[in-house]
Amino acid sequence: MNTVVIEHVSLNELPAAWRAQLFIAPSTRFTVRIEEETAPALANTPPTNPLFGMWQDSAEKADVNAYARQLRNPRYALNNSLGDE
């Protein structure tokens, strides 16, 4: 892991975006520590969108291929060409 430590930093020496988040006196000295983060494993992370998987228990969609064919069927004419839309 790579780490950068900068000691005795004044508020004016920081980037503006950092200064906006710190509510300290400009004359205060402090230490800045920057560490490399490891990326979280995506396979173990649950989806953050609550709508993800909302139909997972639907009996109508148990056979995904049949459900997709049923959805697409009205779009095609009898000869498997695109129908008029």
Side-chain angles (χ1 to χ4, degrees), residues 11 15-24:
L11 186 64
W18 295 11
R19 287 192 307 258
Q21 295 180 11
L22 295 173
F23 302 103
I24 58 175

Side-chain angles (χ1 to χ4, degrees), residues 68-84:
R69 277 192 302 275
Q70 177 189 359
L71 286 176
R72 294 177 185 139
N73 193 28
R75 297 181 189 174
Y76 296 93
L78 294 175
N79 61 1
N80 290 334
S81 64
L82 286 175
D84 294 334

Side-chain angles (χ1 to χ4, degrees), residues 3-82:
T3 303
V4 175
V5 177
I6 306 169
E7 297 178 332
H8 310 291
V9 178
S10 70
L11 186 64
N12 295 333
E13 295 173 318
L14 292 177
W18 295 11
R19 287 192 307 258
Q21 295 180 11
L22 295 173
F23 302 103
I24 58 175
S27 60
T28 305
R29 297 265 179 194
F30 50 92
T31 300
V32 176
R33 181 182 180 105
I34 303 171
E35 294 183 356
E36 180 181 9
E37 292 183 357
T38 58
L42 296 179
N44 297 333
T45 311
T48 56
N49 188 334
L51 296 178
F52 182 82
M54 64 187 277
W55 291 292
Q56 67 184 357
D57 298 327
S58 174
E60 180 182 60
K61 294 161 194 72
D63 183 359
V64 175
N65 293 327
Y67 182 72
R69 277 192 302 275
Q70 177 189 359
L71 286 176
R72 294 177 185 139
N73 193 28
R75 297 181 189 174
Y76 296 93
L78 294 175
N79 61 1
N80 290 334
S81 64
L82 286 175

